[in-house]
């Protein structure tokens, strides 16, 4: 696959695999710059297609549909990491695919991701591969309780994960083991969860966005506070790790990196996402460039400005009926930057939108969103 071989200027067409909210916000950034955008997604009237120039309605694994998108696009990108890598390689001769295949190979499989981080001397929680009862028992002996059993591929927002706190929990997961490959990770008693977005342009210049402090509910991101309330050395170390990962991957586009902060201010890398990330939504209002524009500029071979945080920010996800509460709250909250993803059906725990507020005092910003706690 090609990487930073040409500059792609408007009104060129950007093809996006995936039509969810990340694709929607990528599209809005691209359209504001004068690009055309096409979407491949199986859902009619997907979030991204509502603001794009066209949508190809087909499954992501449909090779002919992917070929059609590639033929219609000057550059191809994606909004999630579980893209069929073989199919993507088959259309590489038809369009510009700046994101290196290694980004997908590494980040789409949790074992490969942990191995990549370990090989680059980056800190991770202890882990082991699991494929059956015998390997699970070995993994538990190696890693210990408590731990989390996760599918190596797929799974998000808590799907495909099981908490194992003692021998009594093993029986509950045995029927699942033969279905796929798993990774057993030591569960850390961390102080905070933080994340950073990193991007890199065609000159090799790496830019990191401010560190976000994240809280989750039911394994789903709930609130992000920026800048994260951690020691200066944590901010600095996160940026150093992000730069090392970006350079090691020859990153194109944007990459999200999730960390655990331990009691001694040590950072452990938890997960990588080779695309814009939920915890980076605040960048739309709070920074001089959003993660979405940074992604578009990077994959199109354009230079990046130095990233600056203009104001403190708090972002809250609107899950399920939170969207209705948010809509009603617009009447009395002119300070809210309200984002509705336009999904056809409200479902419990489904990401329906988000709200960002910006200002000088993070606690005041949190208080303005207290109805969503």
């Amino acid at each position: 696959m090609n990487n930073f071989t040409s500059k792609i200027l408007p009104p060129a067409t950007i093809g996006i695999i995936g039509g969810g909210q990340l694709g929607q916000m990528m599209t809005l950034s691209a359209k504001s710059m004068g690009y055309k955008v096409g979407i491949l997604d199986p859902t009619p009237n997907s979030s991204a297609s509502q603001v794009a120039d066209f949508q190809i309605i087909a499954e992501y694994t449909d090779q002919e549909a992917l070929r059609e998108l590639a033929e219609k696009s000057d550059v191809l990108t994606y909004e999630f990491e579980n893209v069929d890598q073989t199919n993507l390689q088959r259309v590489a001769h038809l369009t510009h695919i700046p994101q290196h295949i290694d980004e997908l190979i590494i980040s789409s499989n949790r074992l490969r991701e942990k191995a990549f981080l370990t090989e680059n001397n980056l800190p991770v929680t202890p882990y082991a591969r699991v494929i059956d009862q015998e390997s699970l028992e070995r993994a538990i002996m190696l890693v210990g309780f408590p731990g989390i059993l996760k599918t190596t591929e797929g799974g998000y927002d808590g799907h495909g994960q099981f908490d194992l706190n003692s021998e009594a929990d093993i029986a509950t997961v045995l029927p699942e083991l033969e279905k796929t490959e798993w990774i057993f990770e030591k569960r850390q008693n961390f102080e905070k969860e933080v994340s950073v977005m990193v991007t890199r342009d065609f000159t090799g210049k790496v830019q990191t966005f401010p560190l976000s402090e994240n809280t989750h509910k039911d394994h789903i991101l709930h609130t992000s506070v920026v800048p994260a309330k951690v020691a200066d050395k944590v901010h600095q170390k996160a940026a150093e790790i992000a730069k090392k990962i970006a350079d090691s991957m020859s990153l194109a586009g944007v990459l999200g990196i999730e960390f655990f902060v331990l009691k001694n201010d040590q950072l452990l890398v938890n997960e990588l996402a080779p695309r814009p990330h939920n915890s980076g939504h605040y960048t739309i209002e709070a920074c001089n460039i959003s993660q979405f524009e940074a992604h578009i500029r990077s994959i199109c071979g354009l230079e990046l400005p130095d990233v600056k945080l203009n104001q403190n920010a708090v972002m809250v996800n609107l899950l399920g009926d939170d969207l209705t509460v948010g809509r009603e709250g617009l009447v009395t909250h002119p300070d809210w930057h309200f984002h509705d993803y336009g999904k056809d059906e409200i479902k419990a725990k489904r990401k329906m939108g988000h709200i960002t507020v910006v200002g000088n005092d993070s606690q005041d910003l949190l208080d303005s969103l207290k109805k969503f706690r």
Side-chain angles (χ1 to χ4, degrees), residues 335-358:
D335 55 318
W336 286 359
H337 296 277
F338 184 79
H339 296 258
D340 185 334
Y341 303 149
K343 296 183 178 180
D344 288 337
E345 185 180 358
I346 293 177
K347 297 180 181 178
K349 298 184 180 181
R350 188 184 193 188
K351 293 174 183 174
M352 304 302 301
H354 74 269
I355 294 172
T356 301
V357 288
V358 295

Short mmCIF file of all heavy atoms in Angstrom, two decimals, residues 335-358:
data_model
loop_
_atom_site.label_atom_id
_atom_site.label_comp_id
_atom_site.label_asym_id
_atom_site.label_seq_id
_atom_site.Cartn_x
_atom_site.Cartn_y
_atom_site.Cartn_z
N ASP A 335 -24.76 27.05 25.97
CA ASP A 335 -23.32 26.74 26.03
C ASP A 335 -23.00 25.36 25.46
O ASP A 335 -21.83 25.06 25.21
CB ASP A 335 -22.85 26.81 27.49
CG ASP A 335 -23.65 25.91 28.42
OD1 ASP A 335 -24.89 25.86 28.27
OD2 ASP A 335 -23.05 25.27 29.30
N TRP A 336 -24.00 24.52 25.27
CA TRP A 336 -23.76 23.18 24.75
C TRP A 336 -23.45 23.21 23.26
O TRP A 336 -24.15 23.85 22.47
CB TRP A 336 -25.00 22.31 24.95
CG TRP A 336 -25.26 21.86 26.34
CD1 TRP A 336 -24.53 22.11 27.46
CD2 TRP A 336 -26.40 21.08 26.77
NE1 TRP A 336 -25.12 21.54 28.56
CE2 TRP A 336 -26.27 20.90 28.17
CE3 TRP A 336 -27.48 20.54 26.13
CZ2 TRP A 336 -27.18 20.19 28.91
CZ3 TRP A 336 -28.41 19.82 26.85
CH2 TRP A 336 -28.26 19.65 28.25
N HIS A 337 -22.41 22.48 22.88
CA HIS A 337 -22.17 22.17 21.47
C HIS A 337 -22.75 20.77 21.25
O HIS A 337 -22.16 19.76 21.63
CB HIS A 337 -20.68 22.20 21.14
CG HIS A 337 -20.07 23.57 21.31
ND1 HIS A 337 -20.15 24.54 20.33
CD2 HIS A 337 -19.39 24.12 22.34
CE1 HIS A 337 -19.53 25.63 20.75
NE2 HIS A 337 -19.08 25.41 21.97
N PHE A 338 -23.93 20.74 20.64
CA PHE A 338 -24.75 19.54 20.58
C PHE A 338 -24.54 18.83 19.24
O PHE A 338 -24.66 19.44 18.18
CB PHE A 338 -26.22 19.94 20.74
CG PHE A 338 -27.18 18.79 20.79
CD1 PHE A 338 -27.35 18.05 21.96
CD2 PHE A 338 -27.94 18.45 19.68
CE1 PHE A 338 -28.26 17.01 22.01
CE2 PHE A 338 -28.85 17.40 19.72
CZ PHE A 338 -29.00 16.68 20.89
N HIS A 339 -24.24 17.53 19.32
CA HIS A 339 -24.01 16.72 18.11
C HIS A 339 -24.99 15.54 18.11
O HIS A 339 -24.94 14.69 19.00
CB HIS A 339 -22.58 16.19 18.07
CG HIS A 339 -21.54 17.27 17.98
ND1 HIS A 339 -20.91 17.59 16.79
CD2 HIS A 339 -21.03 18.11 18.91
CE1 HIS A 339 -20.04 18.57 17.00
NE2 HIS A 339 -20.10 18.91 18.28
N ASP A 340 -25.86 15.52 17.14
CA ASP A 340 -26.83 14.43 16.97
C ASP A 340 -26.39 13.64 15.74
O ASP A 340 -26.28 14.19 14.65
CB ASP A 340 -28.23 15.02 16.77
CG ASP A 340 -29.33 13.97 16.69
OD1 ASP A 340 -29.05 12.82 16.30
OD2 ASP A 340 -30.49 14.31 17.00
N TYR A 341 -26.15 12.34 15.91
CA TYR A 341 -25.61 11.54 14.81
C TYR A 341 -26.65 11.13 13.78
O TYR A 341 -26.30 10.53 12.75
CB TYR A 341 -24.92 10.29 15.36
CG TYR A 341 -23.82 10.58 16.36
CD1 TYR A 341 -23.53 9.70 17.39
CD2 TYR A 341 -23.05 11.75 16.27
CE1 TYR A 341 -22.52 9.95 18.31
CE2 TYR A 341 -22.04 12.01 17.19
CZ TYR A 341 -21.78 11.12 18.20
OH TYR A 341 -20.79 11.39 19.11
N GLY A 342 -27.91 11.41 14.05
CA GLY A 342 -28.95 11.14 13.05
C GLY A 342 -29.27 9.67 12.87
O GLY A 342 -29.74 9.27 11.80
N LYS A 343 -29.06 8.86 13.89
CA LYS A 343 -29.37 7.44 13.77
C LYS A 343 -30.88 7.22 13.80
O LYS A 343 -31.61 7.91 14.51
CB LYS A 343 -28.67 6.65 14.88
CG LYS A 343 -27.15 6.73 14.76
CD LYS A 343 -26.42 5.91 15.80
CE LYS A 343 -24.91 6.00 15.59
NZ LYS A 343 -24.15 5.21 16.59
N ASP A 344 -31.33 6.25 13.02
CA ASP A 344 -32.76 6.06 12.81
C ASP A 344 -33.51 5.60 14.04
O ASP A 344 -34.69 5.90 14.21
CB ASP A 344 -33.00 5.04 11.68
CG ASP A 344 -32.65 5.59 10.32
OD1 ASP A 344 -32.65 6.83 10.16
OD2 ASP A 344 -32.37 4.80 9.40
N GLU A 345 -32.85 4.87 14.93
CA GLU A 345 -33.53 4.28 16.08
C GLU A 345 -32.73 4.48 17.35
O GLU A 345 -31.52 4.25 17.38
CB GLU A 345 -33.74 2.78 15.84
CG GLU A 345 -34.55 2.08 16.91
CD GLU A 345 -34.74 0.60 16.62
OE1 GLU A 345 -34.27 0.13 15.56
OE2 GLU A 345 -35.34 -0.09 17.47
N ILE A 346 -33.41 4.95 18.40
CA ILE A 346 -32.78 5.10 19.70
C ILE A 346 -32.78 3.74 20.41
O ILE A 346 -33.83 3.12 20.56
CB ILE A 346 -33.52 6.15 20.56
CG1 ILE A 346 -33.36 7.54 19.95
CG2 ILE A 346 -32.99 6.14 21.99
CD1 ILE A 346 -34.11 8.63 20.69
N LYS A 347 -31.59 3.28 20.81
CA LYS A 347 -31.46 2.02 21.53
C LYS A 347 -30.64 2.24 22.79
O LYS A 347 -29.74 3.08 22.80
CB LYS A 347 -30.76 0.97 20.66
CG LYS A 347 -31.51 0.59 19.40
CD LYS A 347 -30.73 -0.46 18.60
CE LYS A 347 -31.44 -0.84 17.33
NZ LYS A 347 -30.66 -1.83 16.53
N ALA A 348 -30.94 1.48 23.82
CA ALA A 348 -30.20 1.60 25.08
C ALA A 348 -28.72 1.33 24.84
O ALA A 348 -28.35 0.42 24.11
CB ALA A 348 -30.75 0.62 26.11
N LYS A 349 -27.87 2.16 25.43
CA LYS A 349 -26.41 2.05 25.36
C LYS A 349 -25.85 2.29 23.96
O LYS A 349 -24.65 2.12 23.74
CB LYS A 349 -25.93 0.70 25.90
CG LYS A 349 -26.26 0.49 27.38
CD LYS A 349 -25.67 -0.80 27.90
CE LYS A 349 -26.02 -1.00 29.38
NZ LYS A 349 -25.43 -2.26 29.92
N ARG A 350 -26.68 2.70 23.03
CA ARG A 350 -26.19 3.03 21.69
C ARG A 350 -25.74 4.48 21.67
O ARG A 350 -26.40 5.36 22.22
CB ARG A 350 -27.31 2.83 20.66
CG ARG A 350 -26.85 2.96 19.22
CD ARG A 350 -28.02 2.85 18.26
NE ARG A 350 -27.59 2.68 16.89
CZ ARG A 350 -28.39 2.71 15.82
NH1 ARG A 350 -29.70 2.91 15.99
NH2 ARG A 350 -27.91 2.54 14.61
N LYS A 351 -24.60 4.75 21.05
CA LYS A 351 -24.10 6.12 20.95
C LYS A 351 -24.94 6.89 19.94
O LYS A 351 -24.86 6.66 18.73
CB LYS A 351 -22.62 6.12 20.53
CG LYS A 351 -21.70 5.53 21.59
CD LYS A 351 -20.27 5.42 21.08
CE LYS A 351 -19.37 4.77 22.12
NZ LYS A 351 -18.00 4.51 21.60
N MET A 352 -25.73 7.83 20.47
CA MET A 352 -26.66 8.59 19.64
C MET A 352 -26.15 10.00 19.32
O MET A 352 -26.62 10.64 18.38
CB MET A 352 -28.01 8.71 20.35
CG MET A 352 -28.65 7.39 20.73
SD MET A 352 -28.95 6.27 19.33
CE MET A 352 -30.02 7.28 18.31
N GLY A 353 -25.22 10.49 20.12
CA GLY A 353 -24.70 11.83 19.92
C GLY A 353 -23.74 12.17 21.04
O GLY A 353 -23.39 11.32 21.87
N HIS A 354 -23.28 13.41 21.08
CA HIS A 354 -22.47 13.87 22.20
C HIS A 354 -22.63 15.37 22.37
O HIS A 354 -23.10 16.07 21.47
CB HIS A 354 -21.00 13.50 22.03
CG HIS A 354 -20.25 14.31 21.00
ND1 HIS A 354 -20.15 13.94 19.67
CD2 HIS A 354 -19.56 15.48 21.11
CE1 HIS A 354 -19.44 14.83 19.01
NE2 HIS A 354 -19.07 15.78 19.86
N ILE A 355 -22.26 15.84 23.54
CA ILE A 355 -22.27 17.28 23.85
C ILE A 355 -20.88 17.65 24.35
O ILE A 355 -20.29 16.94 25.17
CB ILE A 355 -23.31 17.62 24.92
CG1 ILE A 355 -24.74 17.37 24.41
CG2 ILE A 355 -23.17 19.09 25.36
CD1 ILE A 355 -25.81 17.50 25.48
N THR A 356 -20.36 18.75 23.85
CA THR A 356 -19.11 19.30 24.34
C THR A 356 -19.35 20.70 24.88
O THR A 356 -20.10 21.48 24.28
CB THR A 356 -18.05 19.36 23.21
OG1 THR A 356 -17.82 18.04 22.71
CG2 THR A 356 -16.73 19.93 23.73
N VAL A 357 -18.73 21.00 26.01
CA VAL A 357 -18.76 22.36 26.55
C VAL A 357 -17.31 22.80 26.74
O VAL A 357 -16.43 21.99 27.08
CB VAL A 357 -19.54 22.46 27.87
CG1 VAL A 357 -21.03 22.33 27.62
CG2 VAL A 357 -19.09 21.40 28.87
N VAL A 358 -17.06 24.08 26.51
CA VAL A 358 -15.70 24.62 26.63
C VAL A 358 -15.70 25.83 27.55
O VAL A 358 -16.70 26.54 27.67
CB VAL A 358 -15.12 24.99 25.26
CG1 VAL A 358 -14.94 23.76 24.38
CG2 VAL A 358 -15.99 26.01 24.54
#
